[in-house]
Amino acid sequence: MMEVLGRIMCLAGAFFFLAGTVGLLRFPDSLSRLHALTKADNLGLGLVAVGLMLTSDSVLAAAKVGLIWIVAMISGSTICFLLGRSMLAGMRRRK
Amino acid sequence: MSMGLALDVLLIAALLLTSWRLLEASDLFQAIVLFISFGLFLSLVWLRLQAPDIALAEAAVGAGLAGVLLLGTFKGLEPDFRKKQEESKPCRLDRPGACPTRVHYLAALLGVLGLAGILTLAVLDLPRSANGLTELAVRAFEPGGIDHLVTAVLLDFRLYDTWLELAVLVLALLGVLGAGGRHSVRGLEPPWDPDPVLVWLVRLLIPVVFSAAVYLLLLGGHAPGGAFQAGVILASGLTLLWLAGYRSVTVLPRGLWYGLVICGFGSIEVLAIFASVHPETPVLGYPPGFSNPVILALESLATLSIGVVLATLTIETLGGRERTPHYSGKGDRP
């Protein structure tokens, strides 16, 4: 049961990664590309992490995956903010 | 076709594609981004080859640090940035009136010729046919002891491996500082004011980063990890501290900084000399009765050196600005 649920979660995460990648390639400007990318980062990675936690052998392994997710989410959102800010500053300078 | 094989084929295709695109790219920035993705794919390949040691190093150095260095260099190629940088540098090798004189160049030439001569002699002296270290490596691997063959092999040679890597790093540092006309990065400030959000992230991450470095260093005794991987993480921590305006390698007194840069290389050099004069020890071997705590101590020094050298390289490449006289506050945070 857990196994099946975990795989479904991983597949759902993979779908968000795919959607994020398509967005990254197709969206017109940097800010909306960043928007697409962060969806993949947060939701995609989160779902994959939950999936892996459900299928992992031990609580310790699950906790490690959870920790990786938290650190990746914190650094990912901060970096997204910094990127967005520097893009905005660049756009203002060009005006 | 099994899942593993499918993944391998995909990885190889991705490696070939990125390396081809990387060489074909006319845009430098694109080439750098492709190089970073190439490094990430390569580290996945190392993982598939069950060499997590090398995968860690490749991800941290090949994709992470080299990417930062390349991006920093790319930024330095922009014309107005370069002009600004050059104004702040007292002497450069490529300019008349630069600090080094003919005597310096002559001494360098003699040193280079001497080294070339010794290297030529060493190559001529090599045995024509040899199995290399294969036999030794296989003997070092005891089934059931360590999970990863590559780790088992590396463990027996890693200290000397790290020693030579350190030599390369110190040489690279000399080259980069020399080309930039700087003696050290002491007093350099980050090129922009630290963002509050970045400062928050750094405060949060620094304990994690430093404990990860210590963990990898200690883990190196029996599992994938070790001085180089720990050193790279230490370097990223030091660079993050610098970027957020905290104390980092830029506040070290010159003497302490020199000491940290060479302590890793120097201490393992002492071991190498000791081993080579010891009658029962092969060249670059460990003397009999050589204990693990000593290896750990040497690896710790190597980690410190690697961290400081790589952080200095990154800071110099990212192009800090000299501390301005009316500067107040930011650099003095704890």
Side-chain angles (χ1 to χ4, degrees), chain B residues 302-327:
Chain B
T303 303
L304 271 180
S305 276
I306 291 167
V308 170
V309 170
L310 285 178
T312 309
L313 266 178
T314 315
I315 289 171
E316 168 67 23
T317 311
L318 286 180
R321 54 181 186 209
E322 304 281 350
R323 189 187 291 256
T324 41
H326 59 271
Y327 201 87

Side-chain angles (χ1 to χ4, degrees), chain B residues 233-258:
Chain B
I233 291 184
L234 181 66
S236 67
L238 288 171
T239 310
L240 274 177
L241 277 177
W242 176 72
L243 278 176
Y246 287 105
R247 287 161 194 275
S248 180
V249 285
T250 49
V251 300
L252 292 174
R254 172 113 28 113
L256 182 60
W257 179 76
Y258 280 133

Side-chain angles (χ1 to χ4, degrees), chain B residues 17-18 25-26 48 55 60 62 68 87 96 145 150 154 170-171 201 204-205 210 212 216 231 235 249 263 292 321 329:
Chain B
L17 187 70
T18 41
S26 54
R48 290 291 300 160
V68 173
E87 278 162 10
V150 177
L154 272 179
V170 173
L171 277 179
L201 178 74
L204 199 72
L205 278 187
F210 285 142
L216 271 180
V249 285
C263 72
N292 281 333
R321 54 181 186 209

Side-chain angles (χ1 to χ4, degrees), chain B residues 22 39 41 60 67 69 77 100 109 149 181 188 203 224 228 249 257 259 262 278 306:
Chain B
L22 162 66
F41 283 126
L69 291 180
L77 292 176
L109 181 70
L149 181 60
L188 279 189
R203 288 176 79 112
F228 202 83
V249 285
W257 179 76
I262 58 165
H278 198 278
I306 291 167

Side-chain angles (χ1 to χ4, degrees), chain B residues 178-195:
Chain B
R182 235 192 269 280
H183 292 294
S184 75
V185 291
R186 183 162 158 73
L188 279 189
E189 297 285 339
W192 50 82
D193 286 331
D195 190 288

Side-chain angles (χ1 to χ4, degrees), chain B residues 38-58:
Chain B
F38 178 80
L40 282 176
F41 283 126
L42 194 59
S43 80
L44 285 179
V45 169
W46 284 120
L47 261 189
R48 290 291 300 160
L49 291 171
Q50 294 177 8
D53 296 86
I54 309 174
L56 266 174
E58 176 62 39

Side-chain angles (χ1 to χ4, degrees), chain A residues 23-36 87-88 91:
Chain A
L24 183 68
L25 291 173
R26 303 290 298 178
F27 278 169
D29 62 283
S30 305
L31 283 177
S32 44
R33 279 191 204 142
L34 202 60
H35 165 80
M87 278 172 201
L88 209 60
M91 279 179 342

